[in-house]
Amino acid sequence: HGHKTGFFLDQRDNRRRLRGLADGKDVLDLFSYTGGFAVAAALGGARSTTAVDIARPALEACRRNYALNGFNADFFATT
């Protein structure tokens, strides 16, 4: 039962692959948590990214990750 950091290192290769495929695409990152895939797509030149998660704290972490990587993002919560 290790502590969850919010960033899944085992997905590094998948994020790298998405970054290479994202240029000019619209990318939807469902169950985004901290936005690792959405940020990877943005770094890869995605035309747009949408990160979706039910947890407000996860979306706040996602917003911070966008900002740390030099991107602005709009976030919406329904709860």
Side-chain angles (χ1 to χ4, degrees), residues 3-12 15 33-37 39 65:
H3 178 73
K4 286 188 177 183
T5 63
F7 195 74
F8 298 96
L9 298 177
D10 62 328
Q11 294 298 311
R12 177 180 59 188
R15 287 188 295 270
Y33 200 40
T34 59
F37 283 95
V39 170
N65 285 334

Side-chain angles (χ1 to χ4, degrees), residues 25-56:
K25 306 272 187 345
D26 298 311
V27 176
L28 175 62
D29 182 4
L30 296 175
F31 310 100
S32 183
Y33 200 40
T34 59
F37 283 95
V39 170
L43 289 168
R47 182 172 62 174
S48 69
T49 60
T50 301
V52 177
D53 201 285
I54 194 170
R56 191 179 299 260

